[in-house]
Amino acid sequence: MMNITTCKKNAKSTKHSHLSNEKLFNEAWQRVTNQQNKNDRLRNKIKTFAQHVTESIKDQEKAHIATLYKNCEKLLVFYSRKSLAEPQHELLMEWILNHLDTLTNNPFADGIDLAPLNQALESSLIMRFRMFDACQDDDDDDDDDDNSYIEAEKIVEDLFSYIEPDLEYYEFLNQQEAFEQQIKDDEKNLNKLMKSTSIKKLFRQIAGVIHPDREQNEEASQEKNHQMSELIKARDSNDIITLFSFYTQYIGKSPLEGLGGDVADATQLLNRQFQKLRSQYTEILHENSKENLLYQRFHKKTTKASELEINKHITHIAQRIDSLEFFNKEVTNLSQLKSYIKKYLEHES
């Protein structure tokens, strides 16, 4: 009697455990799917908005870039002139560096060759330093260099003498090590799962449905060839999320049915993946791409506010182009440059 009772309890416990594993897997898979869709919606929103902004401002931006390039060339020619005072040289260099920074980082400046400007800048700086050195006494310079080196060395020594161990920093390092170890463990478990019999079975089932050789229509065959390539890519890169998504889409069932004894491991990996996807959502806006830069720069809470910001930018760029074109056309010699700088400084003050 005791043996029979125990067996019944074990059977119930096993059944309950199986149902519990199914529920945990389905919940984890649903969370991953929802978060993935949420991430995709945000990316699509950014892409669509960036396309609209691009169409609205690209002509003005490209005109601004072209005018800025010409202005930078002209400033570099003026910078090499000896008769300018030191403050005037410094202001010109400030303008040149600002122009180069804009040309380097503006998302609409792709395709612009900055090599000639950088070479001209290097030549101008070398010439400027030679002019400066010619006015200095070599022996005094050597003494100043030695004294500066000794003083800098003392400052560094004093600085580090006051530095005490930062417990928060060490705690951060420990957390970072634990995080990296967790990533390694997840990768190890994922590799193990992807090589399991159940995952291989899922792959074969999907491949049996989307294999291009089964399709007579040429266009449909090409589409399935693309799908098959994506499936193989997912398998080879251990992309279990895409593999499960393909199974749901093309087999029409939950991947749970084919996992067998690997359900618990798959559930744990899905929970980890959900955490990664949720972290990615907060990072999407900070991805360094042209689309993200435009979204962050112009997107507001309402469509009306966004359009207002775009139009305000277009107006500002138009004014900037007019100012640069005036300089390029009207400032043709040192006398005019000095007069322009004087008026600029008066306006700034």
Side-chain angles (χ1 to χ4, degrees):
M1 287 293 295
M2 291 297 295
N3 290 337
I4 294 174
T5 303
T6 301
C7 290
K8 286 183 178 179
K9 286 185 178 180
N10 286 339
K12 290 181 179 179
S13 177
T14 302
K15 183 177 180 181
H16 177 75
S17 176
H18 177 69
L19 292 174
S20 178
N21 286 339
E22 286 185 358
K23 181 181 179 182
L24 291 174
F25 175 87
N26 288 329
E27 289 175 348
W29 175 236
Q30 190 62 53
R31 282 196 298 269
V32 167
T33 302
N34 291 343
Q35 189 64 50
Q36 184 69 67
N37 291 336
K38 185 178 180 181
N39 291 10
D40 291 342
R41 284 195 299 271
L42 179 58
R43 286 193 175 94
N44 289 332
K45 180 181 179 181
I46 292 172
K47 182 178 180 179
T48 302
F49 183 82
Q51 288 173 343
H52 170 65
V53 175
T54 298
E55 289 300 316
S56 301
I57 70 174
K58 66 178 181 180
D59 292 338
Q60 284 287 82
E61 285 288 347
K62 289 187 178 296
H64 177 228
I65 293 299
T67 311
L68 198 65
Y69 194 101
K70 291 179 181 179
N71 187 259
C72 198
E73 288 178 319
K74 194 163 192 174
L75 291 174
L76 282 165
V77 173
F78 281 132
Y79 182 79
S80 62
R81 303 296 291 271
K82 297 180 181 180
S83 59
L84 288 175
E86 186 61 27
Q88 294 170 332
H89 272 115
E90 291 178 357
L91 182 59
L92 287 184
M93 180 52 62
E94 180 182 332
W95 289 347
I96 290 168
L97 293 178
N98 286 338
H99 287 4
L100 286 173
D101 182 67
T102 300
L103 291 170
T104 301
N105 297 302
N106 190 298
F108 293 91
D110 52 326
I112 296 294
D113 184 10
L114 296 179
L117 291 182
N118 289 325
Q119 291 170 2
L121 175 61
E122 184 179 356
S123 299
S124 297
L125 288 173
I126 290 174
M127 185 181 299
R128 180 70 183 152
F129 288 143
R130 285 174 179 171
M131 291 165 52
F132 181 78
D133 288 343
C135 301
Q136 304 296 317
D137 182 82
D138 291 338
D139 291 336
D140 290 342
D141 282 349
D142 291 340
D143 292 339
D144 289 341
D145 288 343
D146 291 340
N147 291 333
S148 297
Y149 177 78
I150 293 172
E151 184 178 353
E153 195 174 48
K154 186 176 186 304
I155 290 173
V156 172
E157 183 179 343
D158 292 342
L159 175 64
F160 280 96
S161 66
Y162 288 102
I163 296 179
E164 298 180 355
D166 189 342
L167 297 180
E168 291 185 0
Y169 175 70
Y170 288 125
E171 183 179 352
F172 168 77
L173 287 180
N174 291 333
Q175 292 175 349
Q176 190 68 17
E177 289 178 2
F179 176 72
E180 291 174 357
Q181 184 60 47
Q182 184 62 63
I183 292 177
K184 291 179 181 179
D185 292 341
D186 287 347
E187 289 178 350
K188 183 178 179 180
N189 293 333
L190 181 57
N191 287 330
K192 180 181 177 182
L193 179 62
M194 293 298 289
K195 293 177 181 178
S196 67
T197 303
S198 56
I199 293 297
K200 290 178 180 179
K201 182 180 178 181
L202 290 179
F203 177 86
R204 288 194 298 270
Q205 286 181 275
I206 302 168
V209 173
I210 66 174
H211 201 286
D213 291 348
R214 295 178 177 272
E215 191 60 59
Q216 300 297 322
N217 182 276
E218 183 177 350
E219 185 176 345
S221 178
Q222 290 179 355
E223 175 63 23
K224 287 197 172 183
N225 186 61
H226 173 72
Q227 295 168 355
M228 192 68 191
S229 298
E230 291 294 312
L231 176 63
I232 293 173
K233 180 182 177 182
R235 180 197 63 186
D236 294 344
S237 60
N238 286 351
D239 185 356
I240 195 170
I241 303 303
T242 298
L243 191 65
F244 282 177
S245 297
F246 269 48
Y247 190 88
T248 303
Q249 181 178 354
Y250 296 110
I251 305 302
K253 300 178 181 178
S254 168
L256 173 68
E257 298 184 16
L259 285 173
D262 295 315
V263 172
D265 291 338
T267 302
Q268 185 177 16
L269 289 171
L270 288 176
N271 286 329
R272 297 285 187 194
Q273 185 64 28
F274 169 69
Q275 295 299 329
K276 291 179 182 178
L277 289 171
R278 193 161 63 172
S279 297
Q280 287 175 9
Y281 183 82
T282 60
E283 297 169 0
I284 289 174
L285 288 175
H286 304 289
E287 293 174 354
N288 190 18
S289 69
K290 178 179 177 179
E291 292 175 349
N292 287 73
L293 291 174
L294 293 175
Y295 185 86
Q296 291 185 60
R297 171 65 180 81
F298 296 104
H299 188 266
K300 302 300 177 183
K301 291 183 178 181
T302 65
T303 301
K304 183 178 180 180
S306 296
E307 290 299 320
L308 183 64
E309 189 67 22
I310 292 171
N311 292 331
K312 187 164 61 174
H313 177 75
I314 292 173
T315 301
H316 170 74
I317 291 297
Q319 294 171 348
R320 180 72 174 139
I321 291 173
D322 290 341
S323 175
L324 291 169
E325 287 181 340
F326 173 83
F327 183 95
N328 291 341
K329 182 179 180 180
E330 301 297 331
V331 182
T332 58
N333 55 54
L334 282 178
S335 177
Q336 290 172 339
L337 174 64
K338 291 176 181 179
S339 176
Y340 182 89
I341 290 176
K342 182 179 179 182
K343 292 178 181 179
Y344 172 84
L345 292 175
E346 289 174 353
H347 179 266
E348 288 297 304
S349 62

